[in-house]
Amino acid sequence: MHVLAIETSCDETSAAVLRSGVVQAAPPKPEERGHVPEVDVPEPPAAPEILSNIVLSQDEVHAPYGGVVPELASRQHIKTITAVVGESLARAGVGLGSIDLFAVTQGPGLIGSLLVGLSFAKGLAYYHKKPLVGVDHLEAHLEACFLENPGIAYPALGLLVSGGHTALYFMEGPLSCRLLGKTRDDAAGEALDKIAKFLGLGYPGGPVIEKLGRAGDPKAFPFALPRTKDRSLDFSFSGLKTAALKHIRERGLAKDDARLPDFLASFEEVVARTLVDHVRAAADRVQPRSLVLCGGVARNTRLRTRFQSLARGSGLDAYVPSPKLCTDNAAMVGAVALKKFARRPDPSTDLDLDAYARS
Ligand code: KG4
Ligand code: ZN
């Protein structure tokens, strides 16, 4: 079975073709149309094979503004989606007629951007008379880990750190996760992006902070670990961001300052420590069998290293996707769609699927 997945939730236009061994459901008999049977189909035994996963970044479009401009993002998706989908099929060596299932990100994300991918996917599925599965973007990020490691033991504790979200999930089994805590203000990636913007370092901020901070001393600047007053597992990064902006102003830090590597390393360090401390607290509470880290910020070496050492210290297995599966990509969307379809094989094309901006 082949799935063509489309992801346009923010500023990456992505399309992927995946192949799984799941047997396609037989079309329903006429009298059953409109009724969706709950068929107990086993989970795919192995991870699907990624035949292609094309990601076209819009970084160059948004960089001059220091962040994503929603209207420009949706216009850019419109311009590029046909070519990106075409390239994903060409690289996979699969024609549209051989696609058995279409998958698309429904939300959360920028509503205009989401609608581009959703409308495109609907058009393809309708024309080819094939099922269309809507996928939650956050669920897709969590799934990225399982694409490379299908045998991750449940229950798993998942930390999702992206540009728009910072959240902890308790994953009891496939397609079943419970939110344990999330950010009350800025996401971790957003804080990195805002500091980089303030210093005029460009967009996205995470990679440039990582690059410039590599040679710095992470203890040079004294940042207090942000804490929420109650016992909740929620995050808060806006206080940390304000403290960083205060340092920049008071010490007159600029783009070409010799102290910049130390400053950036210290900021990155406190962000990584805060994230990992939350994972430790959550793990103590829910006693998972494995730990999973995902989202764009999971590309960060400092965070990956701290996360792995927490796992080693706790005797848990830890999983982080390879860098290209951390940032937004359609392969993770296709992987969720295959699991959803295997569980509920509805062969009709759902043209009522709608996009949602917030989860
Ligand atoms: O998951 P993602 O691609 O998009 C969203 O769903 O938001 O994450 C993008 C975020 C941005 O904030 C970017 O600065 C951050 O991931 N990021 C990084 C690194 N690479 C990307 N943050 C820290 N270190 C990196 N190497
Ligand atoms: Zn994302």
Short mmCIF file of all heavy atoms in Angstrom, two decimals, residues 58-110:
data_model
loop_
_atom_site.label_atom_id
_atom_site.label_comp_id
_atom_site.label_asym_id
_atom_site.label_seq_id
_atom_site.Cartn_x
_atom_site.Cartn_y
_atom_site.Cartn_z
N GLN A 58 10.83 27.53 3.37
CA GLN A 58 10.57 28.92 2.97
C GLN A 58 11.46 29.89 3.74
O GLN A 58 11.18 31.10 3.75
CB GLN A 58 9.10 29.27 3.23
CG GLN A 58 8.09 28.40 2.53
CD GLN A 58 6.66 28.83 2.85
OE1 GLN A 58 6.42 29.72 3.65
NE2 GLN A 58 5.70 28.20 2.19
N ASP A 59 12.50 29.36 4.37
CA ASP A 59 13.35 30.21 5.23
C ASP A 59 13.77 31.51 4.54
O ASP A 59 13.75 32.58 5.13
CB ASP A 59 14.62 29.46 5.68
CG ASP A 59 14.31 28.44 6.76
OD1 ASP A 59 13.15 28.41 7.23
OD2 ASP A 59 15.21 27.66 7.11
N GLU A 60 14.14 31.40 3.26
CA GLU A 60 14.62 32.59 2.55
C GLU A 60 13.53 33.66 2.41
O GLU A 60 13.82 34.85 2.38
CB GLU A 60 15.13 32.21 1.16
CG GLU A 60 16.54 31.67 1.22
CD GLU A 60 17.03 31.16 -0.13
OE1 GLU A 60 16.48 31.59 -1.16
OE2 GLU A 60 17.94 30.32 -0.12
N VAL A 61 12.29 33.19 2.30
CA VAL A 61 11.18 34.14 2.14
C VAL A 61 10.95 34.92 3.44
O VAL A 61 10.69 36.12 3.43
CB VAL A 61 9.88 33.36 1.76
CG1 VAL A 61 8.67 34.28 1.74
CG2 VAL A 61 10.06 32.66 0.43
N HIS A 62 11.07 34.20 4.57
CA HIS A 62 10.72 34.81 5.86
C HIS A 62 11.91 35.45 6.58
O HIS A 62 11.71 36.28 7.47
CB HIS A 62 10.06 33.77 6.76
CG HIS A 62 8.84 33.15 6.15
ND1 HIS A 62 7.66 33.84 5.98
CD2 HIS A 62 8.63 31.91 5.61
CE1 HIS A 62 6.78 33.05 5.38
NE2 HIS A 62 7.34 31.88 5.15
N ALA A 63 13.13 35.04 6.22
CA ALA A 63 14.33 35.51 6.94
C ALA A 63 14.39 37.03 7.07
O ALA A 63 14.69 37.54 8.16
CB ALA A 63 15.59 34.97 6.28
N PRO A 64 14.08 37.81 6.02
CA PRO A 64 14.18 39.27 6.17
C PRO A 64 13.26 39.83 7.25
O PRO A 64 13.49 40.92 7.76
CB PRO A 64 13.76 39.81 4.80
CG PRO A 64 13.90 38.66 3.86
CD PRO A 64 13.70 37.43 4.66
N TYR A 65 12.20 39.07 7.62
CA TYR A 65 11.25 39.56 8.61
C TYR A 65 11.54 39.00 10.01
O TYR A 65 10.84 39.32 10.98
CB TYR A 65 9.81 39.18 8.20
CG TYR A 65 9.48 39.66 6.80
CD1 TYR A 65 9.65 38.82 5.69
CD2 TYR A 65 9.04 40.96 6.59
CE1 TYR A 65 9.39 39.26 4.41
CE2 TYR A 65 8.76 41.41 5.31
CZ TYR A 65 8.94 40.56 4.22
OH TYR A 65 8.68 41.00 2.96
N GLY A 66 12.51 38.10 10.12
CA GLY A 66 12.87 37.53 11.42
C GLY A 66 11.83 36.58 11.97
O GLY A 66 11.84 36.24 13.15
N GLY A 67 10.91 36.11 11.16
CA GLY A 67 9.87 35.17 11.60
C GLY A 67 8.92 34.92 10.45
O GLY A 67 8.99 35.60 9.42
N VAL A 68 8.03 33.95 10.65
CA VAL A 68 7.13 33.56 9.56
C VAL A 68 6.03 34.61 9.36
O VAL A 68 5.36 35.00 10.31
CB VAL A 68 6.49 32.18 9.85
CG1 VAL A 68 5.53 31.78 8.75
CG2 VAL A 68 7.58 31.13 10.03
N VAL A 69 5.86 35.05 8.13
CA VAL A 69 4.76 35.97 7.78
C VAL A 69 3.64 35.09 7.18
O VAL A 69 3.81 34.56 6.08
CB VAL A 69 5.21 37.03 6.75
CG1 VAL A 69 4.08 38.01 6.46
CG2 VAL A 69 6.45 37.76 7.26
N PRO A 70 2.54 34.92 7.93
CA PRO A 70 1.53 33.94 7.51
C PRO A 70 1.05 34.08 6.07
O PRO A 70 0.94 33.09 5.34
CB PRO A 70 0.39 34.15 8.50
CG PRO A 70 1.07 34.69 9.72
CD PRO A 70 2.19 35.54 9.21
N GLU A 71 0.76 35.29 5.64
CA GLU A 71 0.23 35.48 4.28
C GLU A 71 1.26 35.05 3.23
O GLU A 71 0.93 34.41 2.23
CB GLU A 71 -0.20 36.94 4.09
CG GLU A 71 -0.82 37.26 2.75
CD GLU A 71 -2.05 36.42 2.43
OE1 GLU A 71 -2.75 35.97 3.36
OE2 GLU A 71 -2.30 36.20 1.22
N LEU A 72 2.53 35.40 3.48
CA LEU A 72 3.58 35.00 2.53
C LEU A 72 3.73 33.48 2.53
O LEU A 72 4.00 32.87 1.48
CB LEU A 72 4.93 35.64 2.91
CG LEU A 72 5.03 37.15 2.76
CD1 LEU A 72 6.44 37.63 3.10
CD2 LEU A 72 4.66 37.58 1.34
N ALA A 73 3.54 32.86 3.69
CA ALA A 73 3.68 31.40 3.78
C ALA A 73 2.63 30.71 2.91
O ALA A 73 2.96 29.82 2.11
CB ALA A 73 3.56 30.95 5.22
N SER A 74 1.36 31.14 3.02
CA SER A 74 0.34 30.44 2.23
C SER A 74 0.54 30.68 0.73
O SER A 74 0.39 29.77 -0.08
CB SER A 74 -1.08 30.80 2.65
OG SER A 74 -1.15 32.02 3.28
N ARG A 75 0.95 31.91 0.37
CA ARG A 75 1.19 32.17 -1.07
C ARG A 75 2.33 31.30 -1.60
O ARG A 75 2.29 30.83 -2.73
CB ARG A 75 1.56 33.64 -1.28
CG ARG A 75 0.37 34.53 -1.10
CD ARG A 75 0.75 35.95 -1.40
NE ARG A 75 -0.23 36.86 -0.85
CZ ARG A 75 -0.29 38.14 -1.11
NH1 ARG A 75 0.59 38.67 -1.93
NH2 ARG A 75 -1.21 38.90 -0.60
N GLN A 76 3.36 31.14 -0.76
CA GLN A 76 4.50 30.33 -1.19
C GLN A 76 4.10 28.86 -1.35
O GLN A 76 4.53 28.19 -2.28
CB GLN A 76 5.63 30.49 -0.15
CG GLN A 76 6.98 30.00 -0.61
CD GLN A 76 7.55 30.80 -1.78
OE1 GLN A 76 7.10 31.89 -2.08
NE2 GLN A 76 8.51 30.20 -2.47
N HIS A 77 3.26 28.36 -0.43
CA HIS A 77 2.78 26.98 -0.56
C HIS A 77 2.04 26.80 -1.89
O HIS A 77 2.22 25.79 -2.58
CB HIS A 77 1.83 26.61 0.59
CG HIS A 77 2.51 26.41 1.91
ND1 HIS A 77 3.55 25.52 2.09
CD2 HIS A 77 2.28 26.95 3.13
CE1 HIS A 77 3.93 25.55 3.36
NE2 HIS A 77 3.19 26.41 4.00
N ILE A 78 1.20 27.79 -2.23
CA ILE A 78 0.43 27.69 -3.48
C ILE A 78 1.39 27.58 -4.67
O ILE A 78 1.18 26.79 -5.59
CB ILE A 78 -0.52 28.90 -3.64
CG1 ILE A 78 -1.64 28.83 -2.61
CG2 ILE A 78 -1.11 28.97 -5.05
CD1 ILE A 78 -2.55 30.04 -2.55
N LYS A 79 2.46 28.38 -4.61
CA LYS A 79 3.41 28.39 -5.74
C LYS A 79 4.15 27.07 -5.88
O LYS A 79 4.49 26.67 -6.98
CB LYS A 79 4.46 29.49 -5.50
CG LYS A 79 4.02 30.87 -5.86
CD LYS A 79 5.22 31.80 -5.82
CE LYS A 79 4.78 33.23 -5.69
NZ LYS A 79 5.77 34.08 -5.06
N THR A 80 4.45 26.43 -4.76
CA THR A 80 5.40 25.31 -4.83
C THR A 80 4.78 23.92 -4.69
O THR A 80 5.44 22.93 -4.99
CB THR A 80 6.48 25.45 -3.73
OG1 THR A 80 5.82 25.51 -2.45
CG2 THR A 80 7.29 26.72 -3.92
N ILE A 81 3.52 23.84 -4.24
CA ILE A 81 3.01 22.52 -3.85
C ILE A 81 2.97 21.52 -5.02
O ILE A 81 3.29 20.34 -4.85
CB ILE A 81 1.63 22.64 -3.13
CG1 ILE A 81 1.31 21.29 -2.48
CG2 ILE A 81 0.54 23.12 -4.05
CD1 ILE A 81 0.27 21.35 -1.41
N THR A 82 2.62 22.01 -6.21
CA THR A 82 2.53 21.08 -7.34
C THR A 82 3.90 20.46 -7.62
O THR A 82 4.03 19.25 -7.82
CB THR A 82 2.01 21.81 -8.60
OG1 THR A 82 0.82 22.51 -8.23
CG2 THR A 82 1.71 20.87 -9.72
N ALA A 83 4.93 21.31 -7.62
CA ALA A 83 6.28 20.80 -7.90
C ALA A 83 6.76 19.87 -6.80
O ALA A 83 7.39 18.83 -7.07
CB ALA A 83 7.24 21.98 -8.05
N VAL A 84 6.45 20.20 -5.55
CA VAL A 84 6.93 19.37 -4.43
C VAL A 84 6.26 17.99 -4.47
O VAL A 84 6.92 16.96 -4.31
CB VAL A 84 6.67 20.09 -3.07
CG1 VAL A 84 6.90 19.16 -1.90
CG2 VAL A 84 7.57 21.31 -2.95
N VAL A 85 4.95 17.96 -4.73
CA VAL A 85 4.25 16.68 -4.82
C VAL A 85 4.78 15.89 -6.02
O VAL A 85 5.06 14.68 -5.93
CB VAL A 85 2.72 16.89 -4.91
CG1 VAL A 85 2.01 15.61 -5.28
CG2 VAL A 85 2.18 17.43 -3.58
N GLY A 86 4.97 16.57 -7.14
CA GLY A 86 5.50 15.91 -8.34
C GLY A 86 6.87 15.30 -8.07
O GLY A 86 7.15 14.16 -8.46
N GLU A 87 7.71 16.05 -7.37
CA GLU A 87 9.05 15.57 -7.07
C GLU A 87 9.01 14.36 -6.13
O GLU A 87 9.79 13.41 -6.29
CB GLU A 87 9.87 16.71 -6.45
CG GLU A 87 11.33 16.42 -6.17
CD GLU A 87 12.16 16.18 -7.43
OE1 GLU A 87 11.71 16.53 -8.53
OE2 GLU A 87 13.26 15.61 -7.28
N SER A 88 8.08 14.38 -5.19
CA SER A 88 8.00 13.25 -4.25
C SER A 88 7.59 11.98 -4.98
O SER A 88 8.09 10.89 -4.68
CB SER A 88 7.05 13.56 -3.09
OG SER A 88 5.71 13.51 -3.53
N LEU A 89 6.70 12.12 -5.95
CA LEU A 89 6.28 10.94 -6.72
C LEU A 89 7.42 10.46 -7.62
O LEU A 89 7.70 9.25 -7.71
CB LEU A 89 5.05 11.28 -7.58
CG LEU A 89 3.75 11.51 -6.80
CD1 LEU A 89 2.73 12.26 -7.65
CD2 LEU A 89 3.17 10.17 -6.33
N ALA A 90 8.10 11.42 -8.25
CA ALA A 90 9.20 11.06 -9.17
C ALA A 90 10.32 10.34 -8.41
O ALA A 90 10.81 9.30 -8.85
CB ALA A 90 9.73 12.32 -9.86
N ARG A 91 10.70 10.90 -7.27
CA ARG A 91 11.79 10.27 -6.48
C ARG A 91 11.38 8.88 -5.99
O ARG A 91 12.21 7.99 -5.88
CB ARG A 91 12.14 11.11 -5.26
CG ARG A 91 12.74 12.43 -5.59
CD ARG A 91 14.27 12.42 -5.43
NE ARG A 91 14.74 13.76 -5.70
CZ ARG A 91 15.21 14.58 -4.79
NH1 ARG A 91 15.32 14.18 -3.55
NH2 ARG A 91 15.60 15.79 -5.11
N ALA A 92 10.09 8.73 -5.68
CA ALA A 92 9.62 7.42 -5.19
C ALA A 92 9.45 6.43 -6.34
O ALA A 92 9.37 5.22 -6.13
CB ALA A 92 8.29 7.60 -4.46
N GLY A 93 9.37 6.97 -7.55
CA GLY A 93 9.15 6.10 -8.72
C GLY A 93 7.74 5.53 -8.72
O GLY A 93 7.51 4.40 -9.16
N VAL A 94 6.80 6.33 -8.22
CA VAL A 94 5.41 5.87 -8.11
C VAL A 94 4.51 6.89 -8.81
O VAL A 94 4.66 8.10 -8.61
CB VAL A 94 5.02 5.78 -6.60
CG1 VAL A 94 3.55 5.50 -6.44
CG2 VAL A 94 5.84 4.70 -5.90
N GLY A 95 3.57 6.42 -9.61
CA GLY A 95 2.63 7.33 -10.27
C GLY A 95 1.43 7.59 -9.37
O GLY A 95 1.15 6.79 -8.45
N LEU A 96 0.72 8.67 -9.64
CA LEU A 96 -0.45 9.00 -8.80
C LEU A 96 -1.49 7.87 -8.79
O LEU A 96 -2.15 7.63 -7.79
CB LEU A 96 -1.12 10.28 -9.32
CG LEU A 96 -0.70 11.58 -8.67
CD1 LEU A 96 -1.40 12.76 -9.33
CD2 LEU A 96 -1.01 11.57 -7.16
N GLY A 97 -1.58 7.16 -9.93
CA GLY A 97 -2.55 6.06 -10.04
C GLY A 97 -2.23 4.91 -9.08
O GLY A 97 -3.08 4.07 -8.80
N SER A 98 -1.00 4.85 -8.60
CA SER A 98 -0.62 3.75 -7.67
C SER A 98 -0.75 4.15 -6.21
O SER A 98 -0.39 3.39 -5.31
CB SER A 98 0.84 3.32 -7.90
OG SER A 98 1.02 3.01 -9.25
N ILE A 99 -1.21 5.38 -5.97
CA ILE A 99 -1.38 5.81 -4.57
C ILE A 99 -2.71 5.25 -4.06
O ILE A 99 -3.76 5.43 -4.67
CB ILE A 99 -1.35 7.36 -4.47
CG1 ILE A 99 0.00 7.91 -4.93
CG2 ILE A 99 -1.67 7.82 -3.04
CD1 ILE A 99 1.20 7.51 -4.11
N ASP A 100 -2.66 4.57 -2.90
CA ASP A 100 -3.86 3.95 -2.33
C ASP A 100 -4.53 4.84 -1.29
O ASP A 100 -5.70 4.65 -0.96
CB ASP A 100 -3.47 2.63 -1.63
CG ASP A 100 -2.68 1.73 -2.55
OD1 ASP A 100 -3.28 1.24 -3.52
OD2 ASP A 100 -1.47 1.56 -2.32
N LEU A 101 -3.74 5.77 -0.73
CA LEU A 101 -4.24 6.56 0.38
C LEU A 101 -3.58 7.94 0.34
O LEU A 101 -2.38 8.05 0.09
CB LEU A 101 -3.81 5.85 1.68
CG LEU A 101 -4.20 6.44 3.01
CD1 LEU A 101 -5.71 6.34 3.20
CD2 LEU A 101 -3.50 5.68 4.15
N PHE A 102 -4.38 8.98 0.56
CA PHE A 102 -3.83 10.33 0.64
C PHE A 102 -3.90 10.79 2.10
O PHE A 102 -4.86 10.47 2.81
CB PHE A 102 -4.61 11.29 -0.26
CG PHE A 102 -4.38 11.00 -1.73
CD1 PHE A 102 -5.19 10.09 -2.41
CD2 PHE A 102 -3.32 11.60 -2.40
CE1 PHE A 102 -4.95 9.80 -3.75
CE2 PHE A 102 -3.08 11.31 -3.75
CZ PHE A 102 -3.89 10.42 -4.42
N ALA A 103 -2.87 11.51 2.52
CA ALA A 103 -2.80 11.98 3.91
C ALA A 103 -2.43 13.44 3.92
O ALA A 103 -1.64 13.89 3.08
CB ALA A 103 -1.75 11.18 4.68
N VAL A 104 -2.98 14.17 4.87
CA VAL A 104 -2.67 15.60 4.92
C VAL A 104 -2.76 16.11 6.36
O VAL A 104 -3.59 15.65 7.14
CB VAL A 104 -3.61 16.39 3.97
CG1 VAL A 104 -5.07 16.34 4.42
CG2 VAL A 104 -3.16 17.84 3.84
N THR A 105 -1.90 17.08 6.67
CA THR A 105 -1.96 17.72 7.99
C THR A 105 -3.18 18.62 8.06
O THR A 105 -3.36 19.50 7.21
CB THR A 105 -0.70 18.58 8.23
OG1 THR A 105 0.44 17.75 8.04
CG2 THR A 105 -0.69 19.16 9.63
N GLN A 106 -3.99 18.43 9.10
CA GLN A 106 -5.21 19.24 9.30
C GLN A 106 -4.95 20.43 10.21
O GLN A 106 -5.59 21.46 10.13
CB GLN A 106 -6.25 18.37 10.00
CG GLN A 106 -7.26 17.72 9.10
CD GLN A 106 -8.29 16.99 9.94
OE1 GLN A 106 -7.99 15.94 10.49
NE2 GLN A 106 -9.48 17.54 10.04
N GLY A 107 -4.04 20.28 11.17
CA GLY A 107 -3.75 21.32 12.15
C GLY A 107 -2.99 20.72 13.30
O GLY A 107 -2.76 19.51 13.29
N PRO A 108 -2.57 21.48 14.28
CA PRO A 108 -2.62 22.92 14.34
C PRO A 108 -1.53 23.56 13.48
O PRO A 108 -0.55 22.90 13.12
CB PRO A 108 -2.38 23.22 15.82
CG PRO A 108 -1.62 22.04 16.34
CD PRO A 108 -2.01 20.87 15.51
N GLY A 109 -1.73 24.83 13.15
CA GLY A 109 -0.76 25.53 12.32
C GLY A 109 -1.37 26.82 11.80
O GLY A 109 -2.39 27.30 12.32
N LEU A 110 -0.76 27.37 10.77
CA LEU A 110 -1.27 28.60 10.16
C LEU A 110 -2.44 28.21 9.26
O LEU A 110 -2.29 27.38 8.36
CB LEU A 110 -0.18 29.27 9.33
CG LEU A 110 1.09 29.67 10.09
CD1 LEU A 110 2.16 30.14 9.12
CD2 LEU A 110 0.76 30.74 11.11
#
